[in-house]
């Protein structure tokens, strides 16, 4: 209670108590966050960080929740949403500086208008810039990490940190960042090109996504691609398409997607994931690794 009243005093942005996270994930699944906070400024964000630490409460950041499976028991402590406080979008002489709370769609729109090329392969990947960096989002053998010059943020002690590209080790769907760094801003190195060319390339990459279940409740690909093959191919060939646990179903369009066809819980999705994993392992002796992140309490 003391925490809540101090939070109310410090934050002009939105504070939601026991906020169901199914409202904040593309899967539309997830139990409540004790405190869901959307600060208005970076200073407010740091104040929340410090307050949570002094009260011994866990804190995590959520982007647009498009790569997450939130457990049915929800998330204890504070969930921070930076979409209203880390919104900078500016050019520098070699590309763009962008806030972690900006959506990838908005970033790409500005890149096109400002004639900065490189990120077109991201067209169609939902989510925020912060989330994209944290998971090194990408497609077609490219990923956002290749374009990162520097990442700024705060550690959980409230200390500002800036890391230059040699200190960042981007790998397939991951990056080595000091534990729990809250990313606030990213400097991207891009190439100057006419906007019509950029636009055409974005359209081409967007078209390549026509085999994905559009407009369905999902979290993108469930599994990482194992070396030399596609997870979706193995799942399809092991006959899992359409497999279902209650409201969770392996997509008939793209076997590496699980969709929430109505009322699915995190437990349903996890059960389905295990079924798929076992089938693929039995048939191909390949152990699939998860691409989506599971957070919260069962
Ligand atoms: C239809 C669909 C298609 C998709 N296609 C692709 C694809 O082609 N390629 C691909 O890579 N992904 C894809 N995804 C998955 C997802 O969109 C990306 O991984 C995206 O980059 C996640 O961003 P987010 O903002 O939603 O992050 P979230 O899912 O909200 O969070 C992901 C992780 O990032 C952390 N995080 C978020 N913001 C910050 C921050 N500011 N500081 C520190 N940590 C932070 C969170 O704590 C969490 O650990 C797809 C998803 C969907 C639904």
């Amino acid at each position: 209670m003391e925490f809540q009243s101090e939070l109310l005093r410090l934050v002009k942005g939105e504070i939601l108590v026991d906020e169901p996270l199914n409202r904040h994930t593309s899967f539309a699944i997830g139990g409540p966050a004790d405190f869901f906070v959307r600060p208005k400024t970076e200073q407010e964000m740091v104040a929340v960080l410090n307050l949570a630490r002094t009260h011994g409460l866990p804190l995590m950041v959520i982007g647009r929740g498009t790569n997450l499976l939130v457990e049915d028991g929800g998330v204890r402590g504070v969930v921070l949403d930076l979409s209203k406080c880390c919104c900078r979008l500016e050019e520098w002489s070699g590309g763009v500086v962008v806030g972690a709370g900006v959506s990838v769609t908005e970033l790409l729109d500005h890149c096109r208008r400002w004639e900065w090329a490189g990120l077109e392969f991201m067209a169609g990947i939902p989510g925020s810039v912060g989330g994209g960096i944290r998971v090194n989002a990408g497609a077609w053998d490219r990923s956002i990490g290749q374009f990162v010059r520097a990442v700024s943020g705060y550690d959980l002690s409230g200390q500002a940190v800036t890391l230059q590209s040699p200190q960042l080790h981007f790998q397939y769907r991951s990056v080595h960042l000091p534990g729990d760094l809250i990313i606030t801003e990213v400097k991207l190195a891009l190439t100057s090109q006419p906007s019509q060319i950029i636009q055409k390339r974005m359209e081409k990459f967007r078209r390549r996504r026509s085999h994905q279940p559009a407009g369905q409740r999902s979290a993108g690909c469930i599994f990482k691609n194992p070396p030399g093959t596609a997870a979706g191919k193995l799942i399809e060939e092991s006959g899992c398409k359409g497999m279902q646990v209650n409201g969770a179903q392996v997509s008939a369009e793209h076997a590496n997607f699980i969709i929430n066809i109505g009322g699915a819980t995190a437990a349903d999705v996890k059960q389905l994931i295990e079924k798929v994993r076992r089938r693929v392992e039995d048939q191909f002796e390949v152990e699939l690794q998860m691409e989506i992140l599971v957070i919260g309490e069962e």
Side-chain angles (χ1 to χ4, degrees):
M1 200 59 204
E2 196 195 333
F3 173 78
Q4 199 172 331
S5 49
E6 281 189 59
L7 197 59
L8 282 166
R9 188 175 57 77
L10 285 172
V11 175
K12 298 215 166 33
E14 220 172 335
I15 301 169
L16 303 165
V17 180
D18 286 332
E19 172 68 2
L21 289 174
N22 60 7
R23 296 182 184 157
H24 304 275
T25 59
S26 53
F27 241 146
I29 292 174
D34 293 342
F35 299 97
F36 187 91
V37 185
R38 204 176 267 140
K40 265 195 169 163
T41 62
E42 203 169 301
Q43 288 87 330
E44 258 183 45
M45 191 269 285
V46 177
V48 177
L49 198 67
N50 290 332
L51 189 64
R53 192 183 59 255
T54 50
H55 284 261
L57 288 179
L59 176 142
M60 68 157 287
V61 187
I62 193 171
R64 298 296 191 276
T66 63
N67 199 43
L68 292 179
L69 178 63
V70 180
E71 296 273 17
D72 302 315
V75 177
R76 303 292 71 80
V78 181
V79 174
L80 269 181
D81 172 338
L82 308 185
S83 60
K84 294 281 185 278
C85 69
C86 296
C87 305
R88 185 174 163 204
L89 242 175
E90 274 170 30
E91 292 179 273
W92 65 286
S93 57
V96 172
V97 176
V98 58
V102 173
S103 72
V104 167
T105 309
E106 199 183 344
L107 168 64
L108 294 189
D109 194 43
H110 279 75
C111 286
R112 181 184 49 76
R113 279 197 268 147
W114 290 336
E115 308 203 306
W116 285 114
L119 297 176
E120 299 80 67
F121 67 91
M122 299 279 290
I125 302 183
S128 66
V129 169
I133 296 294
R134 180 42 96 184
V135 305
N136 192 18
W140 332 115
D141 294 326
R142 277 159 255 206
S143 59
I144 192 165
Q146 294 168 248
F147 301 86
V148 172
R149 179 64 70 85
V151 168
S152 301
Y154 291 87
D155 63 22
L156 286 184
S157 72
Q159 204 61 36
V161 179
T162 294
L163 298 160
Q164 306 299 325
S165 51
Q167 299 165 276
L168 302 158
H169 303 282
F170 285 98
Q171 287 161 356
Y172 174 49
R173 297 295 170 270
S174 73
V175 58
H176 176 74
L177 288 174
D180 300 324
L181 182 83
I182 295 176
I183 303 162
T184 52
E185 205 165 271
V186 183
K187 189 174 187 182
L188 296 163
L190 302 167
T191 321
S192 177
Q193 272 194 9
S195 59
Q196 300 93 303
I197 294 178
I198 296 175
Q199 174 73 32
K200 275 210 176 115
R201 260 205 306 265
M202 282 184 190
E203 282 164 12
K204 183 188 82 181
F205 282 113
R206 221 174 264 121
R207 270 198 306 276
R208 285 205 204 169
R209 292 182 173 270
S210 56
H211 61 289
Q212 292 183 354
Q216 308 251 33
R217 290 172 290 193
S218 82
C221 288
I222 295 290
F223 299 104
K224 293 181 183 177
N225 287 326
T229 188
K233 182 170 174 284
L234 300 182
I235 299 168
E236 183 166 352
E237 286 174 6
S238 57
C240 294
K241 265 190 171 177
M243 196 188 258
Q244 203 170 321
V245 174
N246 299 321
Q249 187 184 63
V250 177
S251 164
E253 283 167 84
H254 188 310
N256 200 11
F257 276 59
I258 286 179
I259 49 175
N260 174 4
I261 55 172
T265 62
D268 296 335
V269 175
K270 285 190 346 189
Q271 213 182 315
L272 187 54
I273 286 173
E274 273 323 300
K275 278 183 148 186
V276 170
R277 220 196 311 236
R278 248 179 282 131
R279 273 262 190 116
V280 170
E281 197 169 354
D282 287 349
Q283 293 209 16
F284 299 104
E285 291 179 6
V286 173
E287 207 179 307
L288 292 176
Q289 305 295 321
M290 299 259 277
E291 180 165 327
I292 59 162
L293 303 164
V294 182
I295 59 162
E297 292 181 351
E298 284 184 7

